[in-house]
Amino acid sequence: MITHMMCEFAHLVTMAREAEGLEAALDHLAQADAVVASVPDGREGFAPWFERGTVHYRRARAPAQAERFEGALDEAQAATVAHEQGGEDGEVSREEAVRIGALVEGQGLEHFNEAVARLTTAAARCRKAGIPDAAQILDALREDYMSR
């Protein structure tokens, strides 16, 4: 709950203050990292891969919302890797992290070909995992980028 709260604070700060709130948002996320690191291994009901992935995801979104894309793609990729550690349980969160990475890559950095490749692979993975709605969302973004 605490990491969720810190991630939500980061989101709210960037929504309210945009670029001016980025440092405060990143401070909240650093606190969330500290909380995750403080939880003993094997703690029942605590999935460290999910918590780490969520913090990385928010750390990708915060600068993107402030239109500062440097570093955001790396954080989206770190979120993807963290959620992948959850196996089937992490698949939906993984694909959302891929979507954010593709948004940063395409709309923020204007690397459309790279984003298309990322989305193509992720959509195929979604179909294989039985999450057609996620595949559809990724395909729609891919089609948008291909038309540019």
Side-chain angles (χ1 to χ4, degrees):
M1 293 301 288
I2 294 171
T3 56
H4 176 74
M5 177 184 66
M6 300 312 295
C7 287
E8 188 61 22
F9 285 163
H11 170 69
L12 293 172
V13 167
T14 53
M15 291 299 292
R17 297 176 43 208
E18 296 175 346
E20 292 176 9
L22 185 56
E23 288 306 313
L26 294 176
D27 286 344
H28 288 303
L29 296 171
Q31 292 174 37
D33 280 334
V35 169
V36 171
S38 72
V39 176
D41 287 341
R43 178 73 174 228
E44 189 176 331
F46 185 78
W49 61 267
F50 179 79
E51 299 299 333
R52 283 191 306 273
T54 300
V55 175
H56 283 297
Y57 172 82
R58 185 50 58 193
R59 196 174 281 117
R61 298 257 341 225
Q65 287 174 297
E67 296 188 14
R68 293 189 182 168
F69 302 105
E70 54 285 339
L73 181 57
D74 291 340
E75 289 294 334
Q77 290 172 327
T80 301
V81 169
H83 286 301
E84 197 167 80
Q85 293 171 354
E88 288 181 21
D89 291 338
E91 197 62 36
V92 172
S93 297
R94 180 195 180 284
E95 299 314 327
E96 172 58 12
V98 169
R99 185 185 73 83
I100 291 302
L103 285 168
V104 168
E105 200 165 36
Q107 293 179 6
L109 302 173
E110 297 184 359
H111 297 159
F112 295 107
N113 292 335
E114 293 87 343
V116 166
R118 176 187 310 276
L119 291 163
T120 300
T121 301
R125 183 176 171 138
C126 285
R127 282 188 283 283
K128 184 177 178 182
I131 7 180
D133 292 344
Q136 211 169 23
I137 290 167
L138 298 173
D139 284 336
L141 183 55
R142 180 179 53 102
E143 292 298 322
D144 177 45
Y145 285 173
M146 289 174 63
S147 70
R148 292 181 188 213

